[in-house]
Amino acid sequence: EKVGENNLLAIDYTHPSAVNGNAKFYAEKKIPFVMGTTGGDREQLMKDMEDASASAVIAPNMGKQIVALQAGLEDLAKKFPSAFGGYTLHTRESHQKTKADTSGTAKAVVDSLKTLSGSPDYTYDDIEMIRDDGESLDFGVKEEYMNGHAF
């Protein structure tokens, strides 16, 4: 089956600073795309894609297990807001030291945990980002994955 006007589909896992520019380029050229990169101005990104009626899949994570976890947390947060009220919650994530921004997956987890905790004070600033090889090893990342991992 043909994809887009030119039978072309872009898969984009670029640097966070290029997210909005790349998406606008794809939309202007009518190139459907999949974007797995976090970062950029997400609100502007979604507005630009809606305005252009662009065909795109934009998600912070493409791993089916993580997508399932996120869907489960979002569902719990909707059905049981403040269920974890009174508890202290902590979000910790590890990526290779070259990752330029906070994990989009961690941000999505915080969004759900904020609702589950009932605490508006639980924010992205509370995410502990590990970008040091030694700390990543201590966190459980295997040495062979140090140059490209997401935990």
Side-chain angles (χ1 to χ4, degrees), residues 46-109:
M46 300 314 285
K47 181 184 181 314
D48 290 345
M49 296 307 98
E50 288 173 14
D51 290 349
S53 297
S55 297
V57 173
I58 301 171
N61 197 298
M62 300 291 176
K64 67 181 180 180
Q65 298 88 347
I66 297 300
V67 171
L69 173 67
Q70 286 176 279
L73 284 172
E74 289 170 10
D75 189 51
L76 284 172
K78 286 177 191 166
K79 291 179 179 174
F80 305 105
S82 300
F84 296 162
Y87 289 90
T88 301
L89 303 177
H90 186 74
T91 305
R92 189 174 190 205
E93 58 94 355
S94 174
H95 280 77
Q96 67 278 2
K97 57 187 161 193
T98 57
K99 180 153 176 62
D101 63 346
T102 304
S103 162
T105 301
K107 288 178 177 180
V109 167

Side-chain angles (χ1 to χ4, degrees), residues 73-85 89 108-123:
L73 284 172
E74 289 170 10
D75 189 51
L76 284 172
K78 286 177 191 166
K79 291 179 179 174
F80 305 105
S82 300
F84 296 162
L89 303 177
V109 167
V110 164
D111 289 339
S112 294
L113 292 180
K114 178 188 244 182
T115 301
L116 283 164
S117 71
S119 173
D121 298 329
Y122 193 56
T123 69

Side-chain angles (χ1 to χ4, degrees), residues 12 14-28 33 35 39-49:
D12 191 317
T14 191
H15 191 273
S17 63
V19 166
N20 292 83
N22 286 6
K24 275 188 169 182
F25 172 82
Y26 303 136
E28 289 168 4
F33 67 97
M35 182 172 282
D41 182 335
R42 301 310 264 193
E43 286 183 29
Q44 187 65 49
L45 173 65
M46 300 314 285
K47 181 184 181 314
D48 290 345
M49 296 307 98

